[in-house]
Amino acid sequence: MPLQVSDYSWQQTKTAVFISVPLRGVCVRDADVFCTENYLKVNFAPFLFEVFLYAPIDDESSKAKIGNDTIVFTLHKKEAVMWETLSVSGVDKEMMQRIREKSILQAQERAKEAKEAKAAARREDQKYALNVMMKIEEEERNKIENKKENERIKATKELEAWKKCQRKAEAQKIIQIEEKFHVQEKQIEEEGKKLKHKSLTRNSTSRNLATQGRNSENIFSEKLKEDSIPAPRSVGSIKINFTPRVFPTALRESQVAEEEEWLHKQAEARRAMNTDIPELSDLKEEEKNPEWLKDKGNKLFATENYLAAINAYNLAIRLNNKIPLLYLNRAACHLKLKNLHKAIEDSSKALELLTPPVADNANARMKAHVRRGTAFCQLELYIEGLQDYEAALKIDPSNVIVQNDAEKIRNIIQGTELKS
């Protein structure tokens, strides 16, 4: 049976009552407070403080402060009057029990009402959030539809303009053909007139041949002199010296310093050999060549023996860790075996070695970006994957496969953003 606390103190004003209850060394967390408008109880085992209040209080605005081994209650009165005593007098056990039960029922009803109000507020919040999301989605759909409509109108206008240009070009061609036909007709008419004139001239010449017997030889020799053809020009040769170029791009489009740096790095990579490997003693001479090991790994990759291909690339990298294609090919093997983080590491290492960016290493850089982007997408890191695909498209904008894959990733990103 709990021990009743009697050494409490209380004070009052017309509007409030102040009660101080000692906790007697009991931990604050073990104190259980229950308060209604007519009943106040503090249970901190093995002690119990219980008061059947003289008049009703406003339990919602009333407060309790716990500290320094004491609980201080500030109870606000419903009526601004002075109480004669703190607790009502003349209360028997049955009446106490009724007050307790009534207080518990009131507390349960108020807790139920509060729970229902909270649930209703939550439902209203969810409904509001749903309406907001529906409005946002509708706005997004309208934006997309408007964008589609604008693109359709733009494409239609461009198509109409192109058709108009085609019609103008065809009409211009027809006019040119007609003009050419008229010119040809005029030329034919002129040639016919010339032929008639020549025939008349020949007839008149044949009539005058008899009278021009002696002078005919002189006339013939003069015509030969007039119709003589000049001698052909002498044959010669012109020498043209071209600037020697290692790369296929034109000099005005290339970056000479970067290309020379790339050639220097490639030459250094070919010379960089690590011969301090214990396994080299058991290998043949051809197996100590990184290029031979790379070709061996490529053949194993083609037969889908990815683990053996990785072993070949590993040994080649141990022999020479400056060749970017070794990392690039090993990344492809890791991608097939779903070793996605290793594929990202190898692709990043290949891009690090494929510097400076020049035309000679453009294809390798494009492959490195695509393989790293594929690994990111399989890890559901679509934004990082899209960045690599866009970098690959900057290198090779006409690659249709990379364009289609990049568009699929954009659609996935837009779909996840709409869902979230």
Side-chain angles (χ1 to χ4, degrees), residues 15 28 52 136 143 172 193 214 221 227 236 243 252 276 322 331 344 349 352 354 357:
T15 58
V28 173
F52 299 92
I136 293 172
K143 285 181 182 178
Q172 192 68 25
K193 290 178 179 178
R214 292 181 181 180
S221 63
D227 298 336
T243 304
R252 64 179 178 276
D276 300 332
K322 301 295 184 182
I344 292 171
K349 183 63 177 178
E352 181 182 337
L354 289 166

Side-chain angles (χ1 to χ4, degrees), residues 36-200:
T36 62
E37 61 180 11
N38 294 106
Y39 180 65
L40 173 63
K41 182 180 76 171
V42 183
N43 185 11
F44 49 103
F47 302 100
L48 175 66
F49 173 72
E50 186 179 38
V51 176
F52 299 92
L53 298 172
Y54 182 81
I57 62 169
D58 186 1
D59 54 339
E60 291 184 357
S61 61
S62 298
K63 298 178 182 178
K65 184 177 180 181
I66 302 176
N68 298 325
D69 291 334
T70 307
I71 302 178
V72 179
F73 292 96
T74 303
L75 308 178
H76 296 280
K77 300 177 181 178
K78 285 191 174 181
E79 295 181 2
V81 295
M82 298 297 288
W83 292 0
E84 295 178 1
T85 59
L86 178 61
S87 61
V88 64
S89 59
V91 180
D92 55 6
K93 290 184 178 180
E94 292 181 359
M95 189 174 179
M96 289 181 182
Q97 187 63 28
R98 286 197 301 272
I99 293 172
R100 290 191 191 102
E101 291 176 355
K102 184 179 178 182
S103 298
I104 292 170
L105 288 174
Q106 287 178 352
Q108 289 175 349
E109 288 177 359
R110 292 172 67 179
K112 184 178 179 182
E113 291 174 357
K115 185 178 180 181
E116 290 176 354
K118 189 175 181 180
R122 188 186 299 113
R123 285 194 297 271
E124 289 295 326
D125 291 341
Q126 290 175 352
K127 186 177 178 182
Y128 175 75
L130 182 61
N131 290 333
V132 171
M133 286 300 298
M134 289 175 67
K135 287 181 180 179
I136 293 172
E137 289 178 0
E138 186 176 358
E139 289 176 358
E140 289 294 329
R141 281 196 297 271
N142 292 336
K143 285 181 182 178
I144 293 170
E145 291 297 327
N146 291 335
K147 193 172 182 180
K148 286 181 179 179
E149 184 65 20
N150 292 334
E151 290 295 329
R152 186 188 66 78
I153 293 170
K154 184 179 177 182
T156 304
K157 289 181 179 178
E158 290 177 354
L159 181 61
E160 290 295 329
W162 178 80
K163 287 181 178 179
K164 189 175 181 180
C165 291
Q166 289 295 110
R167 287 194 292 268
K168 286 183 179 179
E170 289 176 359
Q172 192 68 25
K173 284 181 181 179
I174 292 170
I175 292 170
Q176 291 176 358
I177 291 169
E178 289 178 352
E179 290 177 354
K180 190 175 181 181
F181 181 72
H182 290 308
V183 170
Q184 288 177 353
E185 283 184 346
K186 288 181 179 179
Q187 288 177 353
I188 292 169
E189 289 178 0
E190 290 177 358
E191 288 178 359
K193 290 178 179 178
K194 286 180 181 180
L195 288 172
K196 287 181 180 180
H197 180 69
K198 284 181 180 180
S199 61
L200 293 172

Side-chain angles (χ1 to χ4, degrees), residues 296-308:
K296 184 70 174 177
N298 294 347
K299 291 176 183 178
L300 291 169
F301 181 86
T303 59
E304 299 183 1
N305 191 353
Y306 305 123
L307 289 174

